[in-house]
Amino acid sequence: MMKYKHEDYINSGFYSDMDSDVENHKEKIVKCRKPHKCAACQGDISIGHHALYETGFMDGKPVSCYTCTPCLDKWIEEGDDV
Ligand SMILES: [Zn+2]
């Protein structure tokens, strides 16, 4: 389940605080059609679950990662405290 609206998760991703290193950084909420590993907690993201999918280029090489919504919820909550 997602606690926040989709747009609230944008810019809260794994690469978001490394924007200077990731070129052409894009992120969007996706519903997984295959199982993925969360880049942050290494937990499994099951089929049908939402995740933040990020892509970009680092040192000229394409990079991508998925982050599970529990991690995003935690980051958003931590961000709210600041
Ligand atoms: Zn996670």
Side-chain angles (χ1 to χ4, degrees):
M1 280 300 291
M2 304 182 69
K3 286 169 79 171
Y4 300 95
K5 293 195 295 279
H6 282 199
E7 52 265 36
D8 292 336
Y9 290 100
I10 303 298
N11 292 322
S12 63
F14 192 65
Y15 293 146
S16 292
D17 52 357
M18 306 193 291
D19 261 339
S20 52
D21 293 332
V22 179
E23 290 169 48
N24 200 21
H25 180 222
K26 290 186 183 129
E27 46 192 332
K28 62 176 180 180
I29 296 291
V30 295
K31 203 171 181 183
C32 294
R33 280 186 246 157
K34 296 191 292 184
H36 292 288
K37 276 241 184 298
C38 172
C41 70
Q42 303 299 313
D44 292 318
I45 305 168
S46 306
I47 295 167
H49 283 231
H50 286 94
L52 184 71
Y53 177 52
E54 293 176 77
T55 58
F57 290 87
M58 213 184 278
D59 299 326
K61 295 193 191 96
V63 291
S64 66
C65 74
Y66 290 85
T67 308
C68 69
T69 51
C71 284
L72 299 171
D73 289 342
K74 206 176 83 184
W75 294 341
I76 290 171
E77 278 159 23
E78 283 170 359
D80 283 347
D81 293 340
V82 175

